[in-house]
Amino acid sequence: MSAVLEQAESATPTPQAPATTDGWHLVIDALKLNDIDTIFALPGIPITDFLRISQAEGMKVISFRHEQHAGNAAAAAGFLTQKPGICFTVSAPGFLNGLTALANATTNCFPMILVSGSSEREIVDLQQGDYEEMDQLAIAKPLCKAAFRVLHAEDIGVGIARAIRAAVSGRPGGVYLDLPAKLFAQTMDAAAGKKSLIKVVDPAPKQIPAQDAVQRAVNLLKHAKKPLIILGKGAAYAQADEDIRALVERSGIPYLPMSMAKGLLPDNHSQSASAARSQVLAEADVVMLVGARLNWLLSHGKGKTWGAGSQKEPGQKKFIQVDISPTEADSNVAIDAPVVGDIGSCVAAIVAAMGPDWAKAPSDWTSAIADKREKNQAKMAETLAKNPVPMNFHSALNVIRNQVKARPDAIVVNEGANTLDFARSIVDMYEPRKRLDVGTWGIMGIGMGFAVAAAVVTGKPVIAIEGDSAFGFSGMECETICRYNLPVCVVVFNNNGIYKGTDVNPTGGKDAAPTVFVKDARYEMLMQAFGGHGVRATTPAELEAALTEAVKSGRPTLINAIIDETAGTESGRITSLNPNAKKK
């Protein structure tokens, strides 16, 4: 009898412990649930294992050499995809490095989420000296749209959902998410964990403009004698390309694209006023801003740029402003017709209100612009045709201009002072969202992060046009480009210094002037060191051969383009903002 009982007991299945999950997997599952499959990061305590697990779970993890560039990559990815780019950093100094990119993303209206590990709350709050102790949430709050902290595994789904919605809703921007180290190792029932996750529904809902606001704007356009449309990067982000083209072409109104809006319509479009920028800004009587802000890039809507007598005086214009944020109106000058809503809905409503019988912009206005454009383009063609020795910005950029014309799908990343200013006016764009540059703050250091993101997100060739000073901010990410074998060609415009390479030490001492770099630096060898291709180009022909091969092959390449060190001006086109240069 006992043998039978023993046999029966051994046949009874052992109760299985309920399946569990942990913080690492809950974060990954929450991101996947919301169709986010890429993380830009720099490993370290406490996120190293998280990144390993993320890759094992099928996430694409792009690891950088500095957190700021990982953050910039996340921001650029957000702009290109309309989904928040995700950047993971370590605590304290790593968080602070990423914070620069987060603040820049918020200023530029790029959706991005900076996720940083952090020290334990009970130690931080008592200031007991934990490893990399810092109240990161408090520091981040003033510099982003929203900031959240998650303390318990069951709240991870809510935290990520809130971060996503905050980043992309309304005016997009940066969001900070604080994840203390011990959160990752917390466990909970797997079924309950799955139930706690949130799929964000319609995170950026359309905001339909009021019909009377639309009609007010249309009435202003209808009676304008010299109308102008300015397209900002908000218009490019909106991906309302067909509606924007319909607005421009049906109205017949000349348009001026801001730098990251270039390509919404091809730069060689007959209505483009880029080559007559000074004239149209000064003379227009009605200006429609579409996803553009009257900030310093547009002289705040005041001064001689706008045809006014003094710097603080607004021009005699009437403004229509299409923007998702109602508080943007009247920020510098009076807005006569604010149209508040998402760009796509607003532009579509304006086009519908115009009707089929819209009278095109007055021909005397459009003809005057066409004449000015043709004259300026002829002058530019003469300049571009010259072949000085050594190269200057024009002769080198003419090579890139031709390459982009041949490969309009290539993405241009651009930063520097003179390198930025000249490239913006010389290199034409033909497709939307193919140009990424320094944006609203005009800061340096975005180059390699933006280039990596553009290549990862689109798979298209990337041409990064870099001043030698600007390149120095993120040049070590050449290793990242090589490690992931990305189709990025970096062109460094090397004129031996900041602005120019001609300054001298006024004391006659042996130390170089503050703006001067090592003469004839071999930047191309940096890319070679990591297994990429490096070329030194001293003529347009050499630059053309190297660039054509780089774009064709998709191989990581750096071209050290030697530029006349006397070329360019101090501070580029914003010399007036430099007090000493202004005195000179």
Side-chain angles (χ1 to χ4, degrees), residues 221-222 224-225 227 246-254 271 354 356-363 365-366:
L221 287 179
K222 185 180 293 185
K225 302 299 183 185
L247 169 65
V248 171
E249 294 184 340
R250 188 178 298 182
S251 69
I253 296 174
Q271 289 173 245
M354 288 166 58
D357 301 321
W358 184 266
K360 294 289 181 77
S363 59
W365 170 236
T366 57

Side-chain angles (χ1 to χ4, degrees), residues 153-234:
E154 59 265 31
D155 295 327
I156 286 173
V158 172
I160 288 181
R162 295 204 69 188
I164 291 171
R165 193 175 291 278
V168 298
S169 63
R171 172 171 283 175
V175 173
Y176 175 63
L177 188 60
D178 191 275
L179 303 183
K182 68 181 181 182
L183 174 73
F184 291 107
Q186 289 181 23
T187 61
M188 64 182 297
D189 176 78
K194 183 177 181 180
K195 190 176 180 180
S196 72
L197 303 182
I198 296 174
K199 170 73 172 177
V200 181
V201 178
D202 198 14
K206 291 186 176 182
Q207 297 185 26
I208 310 301
Q211 189 55 47
D212 60 338
V214 171
Q215 195 57 54
R216 187 184 301 119
V218 170
N219 289 343
L220 267 182
L221 287 179
K222 185 180 293 185
H223 297 100
K225 302 299 183 185
K226 296 181 177 182
L228 174 67
I229 294 173
I230 297 180
L231 302 174
K233 66 178 178 290

